[in-house]
């Protein structure tokens, strides 16, 4: 489920990945400001990060779960 929040003066946030009850464990967020520039981020709960780290440990990714990296993009 997506949720769009109008911040006024041409700015808005769109949240993608919410369940029907409004809960989020892993969501993508897009921010658009009045000058047209945009940013994006992924928001994760600590439980979701722990789940990902366990998956990495088992698969050998990220040096067998030794690290986790998340990026924020502004475009």
């Amino acid at each position: 489920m997506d949720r769009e929040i109008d911040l006024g003066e041409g700015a808005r946030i769109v949240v993608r990945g919410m369940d029907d009850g409004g809960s989020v464990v892993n969501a993508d967020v897009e921010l658009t400001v009045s000058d047209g520039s945009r940013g994006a981020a992924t928001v994760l709960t600590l439980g979701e990060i722990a789940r990902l780290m366990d998956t990495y440990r088992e698969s050998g990714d990220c040096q067998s779960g030794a690290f986790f990296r998340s990026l924020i993009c502004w475009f």
Side-chain angles (χ1 to χ4, degrees), residues 6-13 31-39 74:
D6 184 359
L7 301 174
E9 298 185 23
R12 67 186 175 98
I13 294 176
L31 170 66
T32 304
V33 293
S34 56
D35 68 1
S37 57
R38 300 181 311 159
W74 193 257

Side-chain angles (χ1 to χ4, degrees), residues 35-50:
D35 68 1
S37 57
R38 300 181 311 159
T42 299
V43 180
L44 307 163
T45 63
L46 292 176
E48 177 67 356
I49 292 171

